[in-house]
Amino acid sequence: MKINGTPYRSIWRDAASGEGKIIDQRWLPHELRIVPLHSLADFATAIRDMWVRGAPLIGATAAWGVAEEMARDPSDAALQNAWEVLHDTRPTAINLRWALDAMRATLAPLPPDQRAAAARIRAEAICDEDVEINRRIGANGLTLLREIAARKGGGRVNVLTHCNAGWLATVDWGTATSPVYHAVAEGIDVHVYVDETRPRNQGALLTAWEMNSHGVSHDLIVDNAGGHLMQHGEIDIVITGTDRTTARGDVCNKIGSYLKALAAHANGVPFYVALPSPTIDWTVRDGLAEIPIEERSAHEVTHVQGRDPEGRVTEVQISPDGTGARNPAFDVTPAELVTGLITERGICPATTEGMAALFPEFATAAQ
Amino acid sequence: MKINGTPYRSIWRDAASGEGKIIDQRWLPHELRIVPLHSLADFATAIRDMWVRGAPLIGATAAWGVAEEMARDPSDAALQNAWEVLHDTRPTAINLRWALDAMRATLAPLPPDQRAAAARIRAEAICDEDVEINRRIGANGLTLLREIAARKGGGRVNVLTHCNAGWLATVDWGTATSPVYHAVAEGIDVHVYVDETRPRNQGALLTAWEMNSHGVSHDLIVDNAGGHLMQHGEIDIVITGTDRTTARGDVCNKIGSYLKALAAHANGVPFYVALPSPTIDWTVRDGLAEIPIEERSAHEVTHVQGRDPEGRVTEVQISPDGTGARNPAFDVTPAELVTGLITERGICPATTEGMAALFPEFATAAQ
């Protein structure tokens, strides 16, 4: 999407130098730092130290890392080493492993002298596939925003989103934000309420920056405010992303999503989840009972990062010394609170039947 | 309550010097700054610049300010001037006006040479009355925590609270925290989950400090986390305070309370509101339609205060330049989500009938 008028992806090849480039997202929203990645070690660092984040972007970055290494040394040993080095950066990220396996499956059967070119083609294909999936999610979700705009006689469509399911987490478009970008492109009057998303503030740091950079009307709100806005008719639709959705439609997403789903349900506001179908875990049904929730460092709760009055990015401690914290990173929204799932194939109800109708091949395998 | 073993009130007279003293709460939780107030101007500054906050404490501080001025000049003109200077500090605070009117009603009929002594007695009575009301709220709320402890066979009682309805907002005990302090005194194993309470972080800054200082087991959590904890049976009871409660039991409180009430209701967790009866507005029934919600500065949302790595209290900007914010300060929890109201007279259902049974004199007047 656009940064002050110029279209970007979150990872790209510089046309002049041929270098792979990314946005070092650790400095957003305060600084736009674009950095070239020159070696396997550079790519590994970018993933491990979270210069890039978001499952699809991590996968794409890993694929590019393999391609970079194949250009240097296309041997079997180098291929295996690249797989291991990159996999070790964030070993629990399912997309990372998927991308590395896809690269290896393509490259291993080839003679070494063909691997560099093939790796580059495959890595770019992984990126393009991600962009295409997200474009379709947006085109499908756009129909919902069109309906609201029509019902309101062209009046402003107010969307609430939580965390960053935006283009910075993918290669382009994002998931939850893709319908918004599509609606803006079509001239629909869209306004996005961006949940701050404590403790890591991805909403304030990333989604607000995306909206600001692309020129989408938006307001930042604290995570506490969404219920009040829904009570007063100020939200027309909630769209979030998801980290994992079960075969019956339970949605695991960033902590706090569940509270917004409860408020949406209580106030008749539709609650949609935008997701690429690989995010569906067909082996799990009861999300609350079966999905383990990562408990992260108390430091994320007791401290907040921002830009100090002198302009430096720093963090401040908000709590007294001696106070501990609990920090569950995700929660599960039961399917009955989810109005629908916006996928690359279309929109379906968050039910076993609805999902099976859209994805019969996976649903059958899961029975 | 206690600060590291020593009992304190939030406003008191120094036994040795005779000075009125307060805690300058702007520096909590990072520094305990106790300051003497020597003049009407000092008291006015302490209220206006929020060295003290919380309706009961503001009222008590104003009463002491009048007493201080009467010791200096007990004339009619000085009494009227003190009323005006203090009232102008925070003109919308209902408790402030109530305390000033009470002082004037006591003092105006007296000959000036009797006013200094009478003012001091009346100001101390206002404080003692507040302490007694909060003590009773605690004794009544204690029965709920006792029941939970008994049901759990002495297992830990997990309380969730939002914002700061603690002793720092009153003269002592607090409202929502008073049952907790009573339970701790009785040896009940209580643990408090403290909502951070963005945007002003009163939970992280004040409630966590209170718990820490008094030695109450607690964890800070982000406002997003409570729903997840309730889904997993980790919260036994929610107790919050309120800024205004209607004659049918709708509860206006700090933004985000409504989301916790929805989650409590969905998960069978009792949701109680602790309040001194003057907080009930018998003239209002439908809180959602009738209570105007203050919209505060966007700066509170885009910035966070804390202690930087060098130990200085500062604030950091979390959002990109150019991003605006909405900042409703309160929300309304409909009565049907409220399990009961804990008052100085006892506990009643959040219904017209339940409240009328406990407060027949006010309820009758409101019909």
Side-chain angles (χ1 to χ4, degrees):
Chain A
M1 308 314 299
K2 290 183 187 169
I3 303 176
N4 303 327
T6 305
Y8 276 83
R9 285 185 177 189
S10 60
I11 183 166
W12 70 96
R13 191 173 298 281
D14 187 277
S17 68
E19 292 171 313
K21 290 191 170 176
I22 59 159
I23 298 167
D24 183 348
Q25 300 188 18
R26 295 173 303 163
W27 303 97
L28 294 178
H30 307 297
E31 275 181 56
L32 175 65
R33 286 200 192 177
I34 291 169
V35 293
L37 301 177
H38 294 123
S39 65
L40 176 61
D42 284 354
F43 281 89
T45 300
I47 298 171
R48 187 182 49 245
D49 295 348
M50 298 180 75
W51 304 11
V52 294
R53 16 72 57 199
L57 177 54
I58 288 172
T61 307
W64 279 55
V66 172
E68 189 72 35
E69 181 66 355
M70 290 297 96
R72 194 189 65 81
D73 174 1
S75 69
D76 283 358
L79 177 58
Q80 182 58 26
N81 179 60
W83 191 101
E84 286 170 10
V85 166
L86 291 163
H87 183 258
D88 284 353
T89 54
R90 298 196 66 188
T92 57
I94 192 83
N95 251 59
L96 173 63
R97 184 176 182 129
W98 173 87
L100 290 169
D101 285 348
M103 292 299 287
R104 189 165 58 181
T106 298
L107 302 174
L110 297 178
D113 65 351
Q114 295 180 21
R115 283 177 181 166
R120 182 168 162 168
I121 290 168
R122 187 72 183 94
E124 292 191 344
I126 285 174
C127 290
D128 291 343
E129 286 159 19
D130 181 66
V131 174
E132 177 59 12
I133 284 175
N134 295 329
R135 190 195 62 76
R136 288 190 194 174
I137 288 171
N140 292 328
L142 170 61
T143 61
L144 301 171
L145 302 185
R146 266 195 206 131
E147 281 164 25
I148 295 167
R151 198 180 66 231
K152 295 180 85 173
R156 190 172 93 163
V157 178
N158 296 295
V159 179
L160 183 145
T161 191
H162 191 71
C163 200
N164 177 254
W167 70 269
L168 289 168
T170 65
V171 178
D172 206 355
W173 293 108
T175 55
T177 54
S178 189
V180 169
Y181 290 124
H182 277 80
V184 167
E186 197 170 274
I188 294 174
D189 183 9
V190 185
H191 184 82
V192 180
Y193 285 102
V194 179
D195 269 357
E196 175 182 4
T197 320
R198 282 279 289 145
R200 290 178 62 85
N201 287 5
Q202 294 97 331
L205 302 175
L206 302 174
T207 306
W209 182 84
E210 283 191 18
M211 297 294 128
N212 208 28
S213 300
H214 192 79
V216 180
S217 169
H218 68 292
D219 275 308
L220 182 63
I221 55 174
V222 295
D223 301 308
N224 283 323
H228 169 78
L229 294 178
M230 290 189 225
Q231 282 180 312
H232 290 270
E234 298 201 54
I235 306 292
D236 295 305
I237 186 171
V238 181
I239 310 178
T240 75
T242 172
D243 291 84
R244 200 190 323 187
T245 288
T246 77
R248 75 174 187 196
D250 292 346
V251 172
C252 182
N253 192 41
K254 186 61 55 185
I255 191 79
S257 302
Y258 167 57
L259 292 171
K260 294 304 139 63
L262 284 168
H265 193 256
N267 292 286
V269 175
F271 184 95
Y272 281 89
V273 177
L275 72 170
S277 58
T279 312
I280 301 169
D281 185 343
W282 297 99
T283 70
V284 169
R285 293 188 53 75
D286 181 343
L288 207 53
E290 297 179 62
I291 299 179
I293 300 295
E294 174 186 359
E295 183 101 17
R296 295 178 56 88
S297 157
H299 187 88
E300 293 181 351
V301 177
T302 57
H303 291 67
V304 175
Q305 181 183 298
R307 196 174 54 183
D308 74 10
E310 285 82 47
R312 294 170 305 198
V313 176
T314 185
E315 64 176 23
V316 293
Q317 178 178 328
I318 59 166
S319 57
D321 289 336
T323 283
R326 287 283 306 278
N327 187 14
F330 304 96
D331 62 23
V332 172
T333 297
E336 56 266 30
L337 299 178
V338 179
T339 311
L341 304 175
I342 308 171
T343 79
E344 72 273 21
R345 283 202 195 163
I347 299 174
C348 71
T351 60
T352 303
E353 301 69 30
M355 295 171 73
L358 212 52
F359 299 96
E361 70 279 35
F362 298 113
T364 306
Q367 305 275 298
Chain B
M1 307 315 299
K2 290 181 186 167
I3 303 176
N4 303 326
T6 305
Y8 277 84
R9 285 185 176 188
S10 59
I11 183 167
W12 70 96
R13 190 173 298 281
D14 187 276
S17 68
E19 290 172 314
K21 289 190 170 177
I22 59 158
I23 298 167
D24 183 348
Q25 300 188 19
R26 294 173 303 164
W27 303 96
L28 294 178
H30 307 297
E31 275 181 58
L32 175 64
R33 288 200 192 177
I34 291 169
V35 293
L37 302 178
H38 293 124
S39 66
L40 175 63
D42 284 354
F43 281 89
T45 300
I47 298 171
R48 187 183 48 243
D49 294 349
M50 297 180 76
W51 304 11
V52 294
R53 14 74 57 201
L57 177 54
I58 288 172
T61 306
W64 280 55
V66 172
E68 189 73 34
E69 181 67 355
M70 289 297 96
R72 194 189 66 80
D73 174 1
S75 68
D76 284 358
L79 178 57
Q80 182 57 26
N81 179 60
W83 191 100
E84 286 170 10
V85 166
L86 291 163
H87 183 259
D88 284 353
T89 54
R90 297 196 67 188
T92 57
I94 191 83
N95 253 58
L96 173 63
R97 183 174 184 131
W98 174 86
L100 290 170
D101 285 346
M103 292 299 286
R104 188 165 58 180
T106 298
L107 301 175
L110 296 179
D113 65 351
Q114 294 181 22
R115 284 177 180 164
R120 183 167 161 169
I121 290 168
R122 186 72 185 93
E124 292 190 343
I126 285 174
C127 290
D128 291 343
E129 285 159 19
D130 181 65
V131 175
E132 176 60 13
I133 283 174
N134 295 329
R135 190 194 63 74
R136 288 190 195 175
I137 288 171
N140 291 328
L142 170 61
T143 61
L144 300 170
L145 303 185
R146 267 196 205 130
E147 281 164 24
I148 295 167
R151 197 180 65 230
K152 295 180 86 172
R156 190 172 94 164
V157 179
N158 296 296
V159 179
L160 183 145
T161 192
H162 191 71
C163 199
N164 177 254
W167 70 270
L168 289 168
T170 64
V171 178
D172 206 354
W173 293 109
T175 54
T177 55
S178 188
V180 169
Y181 290 124
H182 278 80
V184 167
E186 198 170 273
I188 294 174
D189 183 8
V190 185
H191 184 82
V192 180
Y193 286 103
V194 180
D195 269 357
E196 175 182 4
T197 320
R198 282 278 290 144
R200 290 179 62 85
N201 286 5
Q202 293 97 331
L205 302 175
L206 301 175
T207 306
W209 182 84
E210 283 192 19
M211 298 293 129
N212 208 29
S213 301
H214 193 80
V216 180
S217 170
H218 68 291
D219 275 308
L220 182 63
I221 55 174
V222 295
D223 301 308
N224 284 324
H228 169 78
L229 293 177
M230 290 189 224
Q231 282 180 310
H232 289 270
E234 297 200 56
I235 306 291
D236 296 305
I237 186 171
V238 181
I239 311 179
T240 74
T242 171
D243 291 84
R244 202 194 317 191
T245 288
T246 77
R248 75 175 188 196
D250 292 346
V251 173
C252 182
N253 192 41
K254 186 62 53 184
I255 191 79
S257 303
Y258 167 57
L259 292 172
K260 294 305 140 63
L262 284 168
H265 193 258
N267 292 285
V269 175
F271 184 96
Y272 281 90
V273 177
L275 72 169
S277 58
T279 312
I280 302 169
D281 185 343
W282 297 99
T283 70
V284 169
R285 293 188 53 76
D286 181 343
L288 207 54
E290 297 179 62
I291 299 178
I293 300 295
E294 174 187 358
E295 183 101 16
R296 295 177 56 88
S297 156
H299 187 88
E300 293 181 351
V301 177
T302 56
H303 290 68
V304 174
Q305 181 183 298
R307 197 174 53 184
D308 73 11
E310 286 82 48
R312 293 169 305 197
V313 176
T314 184
E315 65 176 23
V316 293
Q317 178 178 330
I318 58 168
S319 57
D321 290 335
T323 283
R326 286 284 306 276
N327 186 15
F330 304 96
D331 62 23
V332 172
T333 298
E336 56 266 29
L337 299 178
V338 179
T339 311
L341 305 175
I342 308 171
T343 78
E344 71 274 21
R345 283 200 195 166
I347 299 173
C348 70
T351 60
T352 303
E353 301 69 30
M355 295 172 73
L358 211 53
F359 298 96
E361 71 277 36
F362 298 113
T364 306
Q367 304 274 298

